[in-house]
Amino acid sequence: MKKILPLILLVPCLALGANNHHNPISSTSFTTVGISQNVTNATPVKGVVKDETGTTLPGVSVVIKGTTTGTQTDANGKFSLNANPGDVLVFSYVGYTKKEVIVANQTNFTIVLSSDSKSLNEVVVTALGIKKSEKSLTYSTDQVSGKELTDVPTDNLMNSLNGKLSGVTITPSASGVGGSAKVILRGNKSVAGGNQPLYVIDGIPISNGSNSNGQPNSTYGTAVGQGGGGIASTNQDGGDGISNLNPDDIESITVLKGASAAALYGSQAQNGVILITTKKGKAGKAVINFSSSFTADKIAYQPQFQNTYGQSPTAATQSWGPKLTSSAPDNLSQFFQTGTNFTNSINISGGSEMAQTYFSYANTTAAGVEPGNKLSRNNINLRETGHFLNNKLTLDANVNYVAQNVDNSPGLGFYLNPLTGLYLFPRGQNITPYKTQFELPAVAGGNGAPTQNWPFNEDVQQNPWWITNRDPNTSNRNRTIINATAKYDITSWLSIQARGIDDRTYDTYQQDLYAGTIGVLSKANGQFLLTNQLNEHKYADMLITFSVPGKSDFKLDGILGGSITDDHVDGTNIGPDVNNNYNGNGLIIPNVFVPQNLDVAADGSPVQNLQAVHNQDQALFANANLSYKNWAYLTVTARNDWSSELAYTPNESYFYPSAGLSLILSQMLALPTDISYAKIRGTYAQVGNTVSIPYATDPLTHFGTGGVTLNSVAPFPLLKPERTNSFELGTDLRFFADKLSASFTYYKSNTTDQAIAILPAFTTSFSKGYLNAGNIQNSGVEFTLGYEAIHTTNFSWNTSFNGSANRNKVLDVDSKAGIPQVVLTPNNNNSYESILATGGSYNDIYGVTFKRDSQGRILIGAGGAPETNNGYNYLGNPDPKFQLGWENNIKYKNFNFEFLVDGKFGGQVLSLTQAVMDQYGVSEASGAARNAGGVKINGVNATTGVPVTSVDPYTWYSTVGGRAGISENYMYSATVVRLREASLGYTVPFTSGAIKSLRFSLIGRNLIYFYKKAPFDPEVTMSTGNGLSGVDVFNQPATRNYGLSLNATF
Amino acid sequence: MKLRLSVAGLLACVLLAVTSCTKNFEKYNTDNTGLQPSQFSAALIFQGIQTALFGEEGNYQLDQNLNADCYSGYMMSPDPFRGNINNLTYSLVDGWNQQVFSDAYTISMFDINYIAAVGTKASQPDFWAIALILKVETMDRVTDKYGPIAYSAVGKSVTATPYDSQQSVYNQFFLELDTAVTSLNTYIKANPGATPFQKYDLVYNGDYTKWLKFANSLRLRLAMHLTKIDAVTAQAQAEKALDPTNGGLMSVPSDDAGISGGGYHNPLFVITTSWTDISLGAPLQTYMTGYNDPRLPVYASPVVTNPKTAGALPATYAGQYIGIRIGSLITAKPSYNSYSTLNPTTAVSSSSPMIMMTAAEVWFLKAEAALRGWPNAGNAQTDYNTGIQTSMAQWGVSPGNYITDATSTQAAYTDPTNSANSSPALSTATIAWNAGATNEQNLERIITQKWLAMFPEGQEAWTEYRRTGYPKLFPVVTNNSNGTIDSQIQIRRLAYPQAEYTSNGAAVKAAVQLLGGPDNGGTRVWWDVAKANF
């Protein structure tokens, strides 16, 4: 098969080559264009364009078909132009169905354009960017218009989808402006691979890579055990690729949730696909859109403190001291600031029927709620679309440039995080002196550098302002995405298309640690880390699309294609030599952060190559669709992949099929007239996925101490791709002339042959090994319900619900090899672990539990403190059992009001923040317990059997609290119901002038928590990777945003 | 237009066709930062084995510092790790103690297995001898902490590895030392003065005669561990070690076996200075202040007070030596931060070697052998005095009248912060040798002085405390072992890592059978027998 691949790819080449030379049609196309351009006896025609409700539409493009002649409607929806009888006028407007009208003798037209909200449903962008009729789809899809992304803007466009789609779980990260978002479609599937969907722009996959930081996977944030040797990695979120895009460039988003919808994309689409269709230039006079928005962000909640008891006399870092004489100052307000987000974007679109241009520029300037956290992003996008050779050839090219800079992305976890020092600061003490003077003059006999002004010496805390001013980090990203498509219609039933993309991201990341930073993290003279990374993603494909001509009840169409995907990440790391953990001063001269100043051991090197990752996947695929009388549709796909990740294994190739059927009952059968549309659908699909475990098949030795350090990973020469088998059944219904629509889907998927990284017993001498095993099952239901409640000229109300429930079950990890569990996040000696165990679910939280007697009473040991069970035990799972969104869109004359309420129900989360605050005696709970004279418990003395109902608060919280305490005590319900977003808009009724439309909106996001029991927002995550789910470790609180936006069209 | 289109079309096709080939897949999936086995010699691994013996500070802290270094009475942490419920209050922290297994097996044993696998045993028997000595030294530290360990079967399977009884492990140690000593003797005779190992040596700069002495001294140390469980083997192995025809023993400080250089720096330096996670233990402080030991300022730094630092001791304590008692109630780090630390400019400076074994220790081992009447051990009193003198010489201090001091004894311990930790002295042992004293009294003298000389090698000090009961150490103040460890008998071993139960369950359960008691800190290992020394 290896050798056949190039041959097959050459077949379309020959076909294309042949037609290029011998197709006589190309010459006639010039003739046709020539005729229409030689118009001499045109007469004026005029008219007005309205929507279905009779409202006039300004800015509608009116073009004579086949020419560049055209105009736009004015503010009153009127147009006039010169045309010949027989010319075809084409009316097009965003959000409305295109309409063509032949000019006969009539010279005054009234054109009614119908809203294309239904037509959107009728034509759906599917895998590979292919548009299909909604009827023929055998699986469920969800669509979101670009407007929904930009109504209430955020700095990561995926957060705008939160709550709007069934079966989609979006969790924003706690990492301030420029942070990533975790997007999971129908549950987590892969143990070692990613679980986030594939992002596709205009049919072509792009990269969603972060910088070399990636995502943290330790409750400390930073890598543990690297401190004394200097920083090997840090705890900031590297930001994701999707957040780089300008939401204003997006026409619509289609979400393909199941494997079946994505079978043609192969490996990367196992977790579903987010298809983004971007705006193209439109024929007609240039249209300029300008939009601007400003939001102010405030923390949405803060931890609850006690204000009664002061600093402990013997343990000055804690607040178990005597009662305060006056109330404690509010130290948090000294730190948190009001964040801002100012986004301006402009786009220009225009062109002729032959060539259209779209250009946009956007600028985002944002500041986070933690001081120093800033984002600045500039996006430039230019798209050209051209039609040649009598419209037989379409060329489409797009250049996208993103420059982004993020400063001081907030630290997460126990280390290098300003919130630990801020929250734990003794109650009753005023933190202001440490804010105004975060550093002290150099000490005599020292290295001449200022020192940190902080009274405590503990690894978990530093002066918050020292961290924000003297431990700064910067992430810089330059990204270019260049893609091009050429499509040629060979005949009316056969076309060929070639596409390619080069998505190149260059990241630099620098973390400075000034002299005076705590010794666990830095060195005497300071320390720094500089990383350069190039992430290049290339993809090319060729598709032959056919549809068998003929007038039969049966119709057959399909695609044959081949693709090649090449991902390459490479770079260098400059900083402490992690291979040679030198205990020098870090820097030669304090606080000069250049590579030449690194203090390195004689045989060490401050510069290291990052371990490059180069994956290439080649594929051949085919798709055939057979339909009967427009009511029965059968789809089959087949794909074969060859993957470089399987090099050194016996088989680099793997195959997988899918099949689906949909029936339009409303056309098949005579249904009651109230049912305007009824469809049932079912599909089965398999997707293979090679999990990227670089070099697992052939691990090599590394440079290290004394020359080399052996790599004690057991080689894995039998790596196989993991496979997801899935099926779904569903129905789509519309009632009462489409006023009410409903959709329901049941799905189930099993992902097997997981590449599982195991930790062999130490005594085997292997530190790591891999196995192919496992079976993770996701099953669930999804529904959407839409209702046009009111629809009159002046007033309309549309409402919709979406809901979904997913059950994730780990059916097996590896019972054959006797391996019951895989650790996703190790405990690092803190009381949180993320474990995937046979019989459990993905993201299960494990921790330390109380030892209880048969009656469930807590056993109290000799010292009066509760006893604990051995090891780490199951505490809960943070994933919602059910999620529900309720969207409303109300229009009254020129006002519109939109709001979204959503709820995530069920699940439990862990707050280590609360645990440590309790241990330090700063929390409200610790104060209340002291006021009450003890912590009320249902316990029993372990030796005497005497019931214990109250425990001394200090004894209790110093055992139960803390980062290594009894985490069972800190589990909270993850249920949260909120007013996710709301906007109130007013469209200024212009009648004339340069401005064609103008709209102002008041906008808000995360406005009200209707229900929230956890001491933090359970949705916000510390990592968007596979670990650290459902745990809060001094994460930046979620924010509440308010603002104003303006949209103008010229 | 036609021409351009066809060129573009063909170009796109050719591009696809040319790149559509899997021949580059192996290149893409090869680690660009890696080394193929053909690109390096196995000799380059030796430095890693040597540095892994104690490890970098992060490893060392968990491997030894937060267990044996404190259980031996040398040190104590001022940091209330895990709310003060940790190894130091006898609540064994699995996540800490598993580091011992991780380092010993996935670094040292893996590397030594690799050296064997590439044929070093036949091609370079002298290098293989060094590997075996390092293997025994590394794994003795593991078996003495746990009892039965995986040894003979390590590296044969990725899923299950059976454990050997501790007796079997010791027998393998002795056989491996036999091979090492024979190979080195053969090599030295054939190639006098040759130093092929010099480039890779962080201990003796390639001097095989010193490696030979270390091997023999190590044998003597291991032999002495067995006095209670197997006196016959103990004496036989000791005699083999003492037999000068086998290459002799370490006798002067230049013979001391310590690891330094090659980019390796003393982990205790960072733990003491940057992390401020370790301080002087109350037992070492009280013996040394009681004995007016001239080594005290070399080993430790006095109290430094600073009124600006929260929880610091009052200025009246400045300049005194005050250690911390194990199991003290420590609530927050600043409260014990100003107590005496190890001296980061002398004993635990960044460049000072991490000591595996000293000549002084060997003299005390000989003193005990002589006390037990074993041949070739010399005179107990001479050995004892030479041990003290050798140690003083090692640290560059003058013994003065230390050796003849027949009155000084351990001082009482007073904790200025919390009197609940204070304790009267436990020992009445004096320094000067007393030929008229009982064997038991003189053994206490030998082991106590050996303990003072072995600092900061807490692993061997803890082993010898468990074997002999000396020096007498303050029991933990707080015992969070839930009744598994008796405060007076003190901790006898560490519990096996939970990870072994998860991934190698059958083997570790069989090992607990071999251990002969529950897998906790109260069960004695094989050579640790609850009976009299004589």
Side-chain angles (χ1 to χ4, degrees):
Chain A
M1 202 61 198
K2 264 190 199 176
K3 285 181 184 147
I4 297 171
L5 181 60
L7 287 179
I8 291 176
L9 281 167
L10 273 172
V11 174
C13 311
L14 295 173
L16 182 60
N19 277 294
N20 289 340
H21 290 287
H22 305 294
N23 190 344
I25 296 168
S26 54
S27 56
T28 56
S29 75
F30 285 109
T31 324
T32 316
V33 171
I35 286 169
S36 60
Q37 280 172 340
N38 291 336
V39 174
T40 50
N41 55 345
T43 55
V45 293
K46 59 177 184 173
V48 64
V49 182
K50 297 176 177 179
D51 69 7
E52 292 155 305
T53 64
T55 311
T56 56
L57 294 172
V60 176
S61 153
V62 187
V63 179
I64 297 170
K65 193 173 185 180
T67 74
T68 54
T69 312
T71 184
Q72 279 194 327
T73 58
D74 65 13
N76 296 318
K78 291 180 177 161
F79 70 92
S80 67
L81 81 170
N82 292 332
N84 292 308
D87 282 353
V88 176
L89 298 185
V90 182
F91 296 87
S92 54
Y93 192 55
V94 178
Y96 290 81
T97 310
K98 198 188 253 189
K99 191 158 189 176
E100 296 189 1
V101 173
I102 298 171
V103 178
N105 296 324
Q106 201 181 358
T107 54
N108 200 350
F109 294 86
T110 301
I111 307 295
V112 177
L113 293 183
S114 51
S115 157
D116 69 355
S117 59
K118 280 168 215 144
S119 67
L120 258 183
N121 282 333
E122 277 157 18
V123 177
V124 178
V125 181
T126 66
L128 304 169
I130 293 155
K131 287 181 180 159
K132 282 189 171 181
S133 77
E134 191 269 345
K135 285 177 184 177
S136 70
L137 293 184
T138 60
Y139 45 80
S140 80
T141 61
D142 272 313
Q143 301 230 12
V144 181
S145 71
K147 186 172 163 296
E148 286 188 69
L149 299 174
T150 50
D151 268 351
V152 185
T154 68
D155 61 310
N156 188 331
L157 71 94
M158 290 316 290
N159 289 334
S160 310
L161 294 180
N162 207 342
K164 293 177 181 167
L165 301 170
S166 66
V168 180
T169 306
I170 294 169
T171 45
S173 71
S175 47
V177 293
S180 307
K182 183 173 182 176
V183 179
I184 301 293
L185 310 182
R186 291 184 178 170
N188 290 280
K189 297 176 187 73
S190 183
V191 178
N195 280 293
Q196 299 216 49
L198 172 69
Y199 288 93
V200 171
I201 287 193
D202 298 321
I204 308 174
I206 59 161
S207 154
N208 190 33
S210 64
N211 70 21
S212 60
N213 268 11
Q215 291 290 323
N217 194 25
S218 159
T219 41
Y220 290 97
T222 186
V224 182
Q226 299 294 350
I231 38 176
S233 67
T234 52
N235 53 350
Q236 283 81 20
D237 169 14
D240 52 9
I242 191 65
S243 65
N244 301 155
L245 302 183
N246 173 10
D248 254 356
D249 287 343
I250 295 174
E251 178 93 39
S252 70
I253 288 182
T254 308
V255 182
L256 309 182
K257 288 177 281 196
S260 39
L264 285 178
Y265 276 116
S267 284
Q268 316 151 355
Q270 173 176 258
N271 302 312
V273 183
I274 309 270
L275 287 172
I276 297 167
T277 305
T278 62
K279 286 177 184 160
K280 276 184 172 182
K282 291 202 164 59
K285 213 171 115 183
V287 177
I288 301 171
N289 278 298
F290 173 74
S291 64
S292 177
S293 70
F294 174 79
T295 59
D297 309 344
K298 283 183 172 294
I299 56 170
Y301 52 85
Q302 63 178 51
Q304 297 302 303
F305 293 94
Q306 58 88 5
N307 292 311
T308 316
Y309 301 92
Q311 194 170 21
S312 308
T314 55
T317 62
Q318 301 192 355
S319 300
W320 290 99
K323 283 205 172 182
L324 294 169
T325 48
S326 59
S327 102
D330 174 12
N331 288 329
L332 261 58
S333 64
Q334 297 281 318
F335 184 75
F336 288 114
Q337 60 183 24
T338 301
T340 55
N341 184 320
F342 196 36
T343 304
N344 289 297
S345 73
I346 186 163
N347 66 56
I348 304 172
S349 148
S352 66
E353 279 287 291
M354 274 189 64
Q356 298 94 39
T357 304
Y358 174 85
F359 172 82
S360 76
Y361 168 75
N363 172 277
T364 306
T365 309
V369 294
E370 292 191 17
N373 179 206
K374 279 186 268 184
L375 163 81
S376 129
R377 180 162 64 221
N378 288 292
N379 295 70
I380 295 174
N381 188 9
L382 175 65
R383 183 163 185 180
E384 275 295 326
T385 313
H387 305 280
F388 306 96
L389 310 179
N390 196 21
N391 281 339
K392 280 186 168 295
L393 174 69
T394 304
L395 296 176
D396 189 6
N398 194 6
V399 179
N400 212 319
Y401 174 72
V402 185
Q404 176 178 293
N405 193 72
V406 180
D407 286 338
N408 293 318
S409 182
L412 304 169
F414 290 119
Y415 284 171
L416 212 60
N417 182 344
L419 302 187
T420 52
L422 182 69
Y423 291 178
L424 301 179
F425 193 72
R427 302 304 295 162
Q429 302 284 308
N430 189 349
I431 205 166
T432 313
Y434 298 100
K435 178 185 185 178
T436 50
Q437 196 186 2
F438 56 79
E439 64 188 1
L440 297 171
V443 292
N447 59 6
T451 59
Q452 183 176 171
N453 182 19
W454 194 241
F456 313 121
N457 171 15
E458 288 189 321
D459 62 343
V460 293
Q461 58 170 313
Q462 296 191 77
N463 181 324
W465 292 274
W466 174 272
I467 294 181
T468 57
N469 288 286
R470 291 288 177 259
D471 294 334
N473 66 75
T474 309
S475 308
N476 208 310
R477 165 167 285 196
N478 283 290
R479 182 175 184 187
T480 49
I481 307 173
I482 300 173
N483 61 50
T485 303
K487 188 178 179 215
Y488 187 76
D489 296 326
I490 298 164
T491 69
S492 61
W493 57 273
L494 181 67
S495 68
I496 182 161
Q497 171 178 299
R499 296 187 289 209
I501 191 170
D502 187 316
D503 179 356
R504 189 186 280 257
T505 307
Y506 185 72
D507 284 308
T508 59
Y509 173 79
Q510 183 160 339
Q511 169 78 61
D512 297 340
L513 300 174
Y514 278 65
T517 298
I518 192 160
V520 173
L521 303 173
S522 182
K523 293 292 182 64
N525 286 348
Q527 191 57 281
F528 95 118
L529 180 73
L530 169 65
T531 307
N532 297 313
Q533 180 184 279
L534 176 67
N535 183 337
E536 189 171 25
H537 165 82
K538 290 183 281 193
Y539 171 91
D541 68 9
M542 182 162 290
L543 305 180
I544 299 168
T545 312
F546 67 91
S547 109
V548 176
K551 290 219 184 293
S552 152
D553 282 344
F554 286 99
K555 288 203 175 88
L556 177 69
D557 62 66
I559 300 163
L560 291 171
S563 72
I564 178 164
T565 311
D566 189 286
D567 286 290
H568 191 184
V569 183
D570 206 349
T572 51
N573 208 352
I574 299 165
D577 183 354
V578 289
N579 290 328
N580 196 337
N581 216 352
Y582 180 54
N583 301 323
N585 289 322
L587 300 174
I588 299 161
I589 300 167
N591 301 341
V592 178
F593 301 101
V594 294
Q596 289 84 342
N597 191 35
L598 277 163
D599 184 12
V600 182
D603 62 342
S605 163
V607 182
Q608 282 117 43
N609 264 10
L610 293 181
Q611 213 174 34
V613 177
H614 193 164
N615 297 329
Q616 193 176 86
D617 184 271
Q618 299 169 14
L620 286 178
F621 47 84
N623 160 237
N625 308 297
L626 182 67
S627 66
Y628 177 70
K629 279 191 171 170
N630 282 336
W631 56 258
Y633 297 89
L634 174 72
T635 299
V636 293
T637 70
R639 179 171 162 127
N640 200 88
D641 282 37
W642 290 261
S643 173
S644 70
E645 289 138 290
L646 297 175
Y648 302 110
T649 72
N651 195 358
E652 292 168 351
S653 157
Y654 53 104
F655 172 84
Y656 44 95
S658 83
L661 182 69
S662 85
L663 297 172
I664 313 302
L665 300 177
S666 47
Q667 291 184 14
M668 232 172 113
L669 311 162
L671 296 176
T673 49
D674 281 348
I675 302 177
S676 43
Y677 180 78
K679 168 180 157 181
I680 56 168
R681 51 187 157 76
T683 185
Y684 163 83
Q686 188 180 76
V687 174
N689 178 27
T690 41
V691 174
S692 180
I693 310 174
Y695 328 127
T697 52
D698 182 32
L700 296 182
T701 294
H702 288 129
F703 291 90
T705 313
V708 298
T709 299
L710 292 180
N711 193 349
S712 55
V713 174
F716 186 34
L718 298 174
L719 177 72
K720 287 187 289 187
E722 63 184 33
R723 283 180 193 268
T724 298
N725 283 288
S726 68
F727 78 89
E728 67 174 80
L729 292 171
T731 180
D732 300 309
L733 303 165
R734 296 204 284 268
F735 305 91
F736 316 120
D738 295 357
K739 270 177 88 78
L740 177 67
S741 60
S743 163
F744 181 86
T745 304
Y746 169 80
Y747 63 86
K748 190 175 132 186
S749 75
N750 288 78
T751 306
T752 54
D753 278 345
Q754 302 258 4
I756 294 179
I758 54 159
L759 293 176
F762 297 116
T763 45
T764 63
S765 78
F766 295 105
S767 59
K768 204 172 184 184
Y770 297 96
L771 295 165
N772 269 124
N775 184 352
I776 293 180
Q777 178 175 296
N778 284 285
S779 59
V781 290
E782 296 164 357
F783 76 88
T784 58
L785 204 59
Y787 185 52
E788 276 183 28
I790 298 169
H791 193 91
T792 67
T793 309
N794 280 335
F795 185 60
S796 71
W797 175 32
N798 290 333
T799 186
S800 67
F801 288 92
N802 71 76
S804 48
N806 183 68
R807 291 288 174 274
N808 178 289
K809 260 193 202 160
V810 180
L811 297 182
D812 187 27
V813 174
D814 190 358
S815 46
K816 259 192 297 186
I819 293 163
Q821 65 177 47
V822 173
V823 176
L824 295 179
T825 302
N827 60 59
N828 290 133
N829 294 315
N830 294 329
S831 53
Y832 166 87
E833 225 174 30
S834 182
I835 286 184
L836 190 146
T838 300
S841 299
Y842 212 100
N843 293 335
D844 278 351
I845 297 172
Y846 278 62
V848 178
T849 54
F850 290 108
K851 198 181 244 181
R852 294 171 192 270
D853 69 2
S854 56
Q855 300 169 45
R857 294 180 299 181
I858 294 169
L859 295 184
I860 302 297
E867 295 186 353
T868 61
N869 289 311
N870 276 341
Y872 286 71
N873 299 290
Y874 174 79
L875 294 181
N877 185 288
D879 295 338
K881 297 270 176 276
F882 182 71
Q883 52 186 32
L884 190 66
W886 180 37
E887 263 189 288
N888 285 278
N889 194 331
I890 297 162
K891 271 191 192 139
Y892 176 70
K893 290 190 173 164
N894 290 324
F895 289 93
N896 69 323
F897 178 56
E898 295 168 6
F899 68 93
L900 166 64
V901 174
D902 78 42
K904 293 182 176 176
F905 302 90
Q908 293 92 38
V909 288
L910 171 63
S911 176
L912 287 181
T913 312
Q914 190 66 36
V916 176
M917 284 175 52
D918 278 356
Q919 179 194 28
Y920 277 68
V922 296
S923 66
E924 190 181 40
S926 72
R930 275 172 276 182
N931 289 337
V935 180
K936 300 282 171 280
I937 60 153
N938 176 24
V940 62
N941 187 303
T943 41
T944 63
V946 176
V948 179
T949 55
S950 178
V951 176
D952 168 59
Y954 177 76
T955 309
W956 176 261
Y957 285 120
S958 57
T959 310
V960 171
R963 67 198 203 201
I966 303 176
S967 40
E968 179 189 342
N969 200 48
Y970 295 99
M971 293 298 288
Y972 301 89
S973 160
T975 299
V976 57
V977 181
R978 75 182 84 214
L979 179 57
R980 168 85 56 191
E981 59 179 62
S983 73
L984 175 64
Y986 175 69
T987 308
V988 182
F990 275 102
T991 51
S992 63
I995 299 176
K996 301 222 168 49
S997 88
L998 184 62
R999 185 164 170 260
F1000 294 98
S1001 307
L1002 287 170
I1003 53 180
R1005 179 171 285 281
N1006 201 25
L1007 292 171
I1008 303 166
Y1009 291 109
F1010 297 113
Y1011 183 96
K1012 177 175 86 70
K1013 284 284 177 268
F1016 62 102
D1017 187 337
E1019 175 184 274
V1020 174
T1021 183
M1022 191 171 158
S1023 159
T1024 61
N1026 288 348
L1028 286 179
S1029 280
V1031 63
D1032 180 275
V1033 190
F1034 291 89
N1035 291 350
Q1036 177 186 303
T1039 57
R1040 181 165 290 153
N1041 320 324
Y1042 320 81
L1044 185 69
S1045 80
L1046 174 154
N1047 286 281
T1049 308
F1050 303 94
Chain B
M1 183 57 85
K2 271 163 71 180
L3 186 68
R4 222 183 293 164
L5 171 67
S6 56
V7 169
L10 279 170
L11 209 72
C13 298
V14 168
L15 206 72
L16 274 172
V18 166
T19 52
S20 298
C21 169
T22 60
K23 73 169 184 228
N24 285 327
F25 278 11
E26 293 198 346
K27 188 178 106 192
Y28 297 156
N29 201 24
T30 298
D31 184 352
N32 63 318
T33 64
L35 282 165
Q36 302 283 355
S38 58
Q39 289 173 311
F40 66 94
S41 112
L44 288 172
I45 301 163
F46 274 90
Q47 195 173 320
I49 300 171
Q50 292 168 83
T51 54
L53 216 142
F54 292 98
E56 303 286 352
E57 49 277 1
N59 304 50
Y60 179 78
Q61 186 177 35
L62 303 182
D63 283 344
Q64 176 163 332
N65 194 241
L66 291 175
N67 53 63
D69 283 349
C70 296
Y71 298 152
S72 64
Y74 283 154
M75 307 172 207
M76 175 59 193
S77 175
D79 201 331
F81 294 107
R82 305 172 68 85
N84 212 35
I85 298 176
N86 60 47
N87 280 0
L88 309 181
T89 53
Y90 284 176
S91 172
L92 299 185
V93 182
D94 182 58
W96 292 3
N97 300 334
Q98 70 172 23
Q99 190 73 38
V100 179
F101 268 51
S102 170
D103 290 344
Y105 287 102
T106 65
I107 302 175
S108 307
M109 287 297 276
F110 187 90
D111 289 6
I112 290 164
N113 281 346
Y114 180 91
I115 289 170
V118 297
T120 311
K121 201 172 172 175
S123 62
Q124 288 170 292
D126 50 328
F127 277 45
W128 179 240
I130 306 291
L132 286 174
I133 297 167
L134 289 168
K135 184 182 178 190
V136 172
E137 164 67 13
T138 302
M139 298 312 289
D140 174 46
R141 314 168 75 75
V142 182
T143 187
D144 289 347
K145 283 191 184 88
Y146 293 91
I149 56 167
Y151 197 66
S152 59
V154 175
K156 293 184 178 158
S157 154
V158 74
T159 50
T161 306
Y163 284 46
D164 298 342
S165 73
Q166 194 171 27
Q167 181 171 22
S168 157
V169 172
Y170 264 77
N171 285 338
Q172 292 173 66
F173 287 164
F174 291 130
L175 291 172
E176 284 167 337
L177 288 176
D178 287 347
T179 307
V181 167
T182 309
S183 299
L184 282 182
N185 268 323
T186 308
Y187 187 91
I188 293 166
K189 275 198 194 96
N191 310 279
T195 57
F197 189 65
Q198 186 175 27
K199 214 170 119 188
Y200 317 106
D201 197 345
L202 301 184
V203 185
Y204 289 127
N205 199 28
D207 188 339
Y208 281 164
T209 61
K210 287 188 176 171
W211 277 101
L212 193 56
K213 287 182 190 173
F214 176 41
N216 290 323
S217 304
L218 188 55
R219 183 192 300 277
L220 182 59
R221 177 198 272 182
L222 296 179
M224 204 60 77
H225 290 173
L226 308 186
T227 52
K228 279 184 174 173
I229 187 69
D230 185 354
V232 175
T233 305
Q235 184 175 344
Q237 289 296 334
E239 284 181 32
K240 199 186 255 187
L242 290 162
D243 181 352
T245 62
N246 284 328
L249 293 163
M250 296 157 63
S251 60
V252 289
S254 63
D255 292 338
D256 290 354
I259 292 163
S260 64
Y264 184 68
H265 293 252
N266 194 311
L268 281 165
F269 173 76
V270 173
I271 299 171
T272 299
T273 56
S274 290
W275 299 0
T276 58
D277 272 350
I278 202 71
S279 298
L280 185 64
L284 189 61
Q285 174 246 307
T286 51
Y287 277 98
M288 293 190 102
T289 49
Y291 287 156
N292 299 310
D293 197 306
R295 291 166 291 192
L296 179 55
V298 183
Y299 288 4
S301 299
V303 169
V304 177
T305 65
N306 180 355
K308 276 188 181 171
T309 308
L313 285 174
T316 48
Y317 293 98
Q320 294 187 26
Y321 290 90
I322 303 176
I324 308 173
R325 179 166 165 191
I326 191 168
S328 291
L329 176 68
I330 298 173
T331 49
K333 200 167 175 183
S335 60
Y336 278 89
N337 254 22
S338 59
Y339 282 54
S340 291
T341 63
L342 309 188
N343 190 333
T345 59
T346 52
V348 298
S349 76
S350 176
S351 60
S352 57
M354 277 305 283
I355 294 163
M356 294 186 283
M357 196 168 191
T358 62
E361 180 192 340
V362 176
W363 285 109
F364 290 112
L365 286 167
K366 283 172 81 173
E368 183 178 346
L371 194 67
R372 292 181 182 280
W374 297 347
N376 286 330
N379 173 281
Q381 180 173 3
T382 314
D383 291 341
Y384 175 82
N385 288 343
T386 313
I388 294 172
Q389 283 158 340
T390 307
S391 176
M392 299 279 180
Q394 178 194 336
W395 295 109
V397 296
S398 161
N401 58 359
Y402 186 83
I403 290 168
T404 55
D405 182 344
T407 53
S408 296
T409 57
Q410 182 196 12
Y413 177 64
T414 309
D415 182 344
T417 304
N418 184 353
S419 61
N421 300 326
S422 301
S423 167
L426 303 177
S427 169
T428 54
T430 51
I431 302 166
W433 187 261
N434 179 356
T438 63
N439 274 356
E440 190 65 41
Q441 286 168 328
N442 277 332
L443 182 68
E444 179 178 4
R445 206 166 261 132
I446 292 170
I447 302 296
T448 302
Q449 285 302 326
K450 183 166 81 168
W451 176 76
L452 290 168
M454 276 196 298
F455 176 86
E457 203 334 27
Q459 174 56 41
E460 182 59 15
W462 182 39
T463 294
E464 289 293 81
Y465 168 75
R466 285 177 290 163
R467 177 177 69 94
T468 63
Y470 300 120
K472 290 175 182 158
L473 301 176
F474 302 120
V476 289
V477 185
T478 312
N479 184 332
N480 288 318
S481 72
N482 286 335
T484 59
I485 304 169
D486 185 303
S487 296
Q488 294 306 315
I489 296 172
Q490 305 204 7
I491 185 165
R492 310 312 290 188
R493 66 183 284 277
L494 300 181
Y496 291 124
Q498 283 300 312
E500 286 291 305
Y501 283 93
T502 313
S503 319
N504 195 21
V508 76
K509 279 172 200 151
V512 175
Q513 292 297 313
L514 293 171
L515 179 67
D519 180 19
N520 60 37
T523 302
R524 292 169 184 268
V525 301
W526 169 68
W527 47 250
D528 177 8
V529 186
K531 68 175 190 188
N533 282 310
F534 295 95

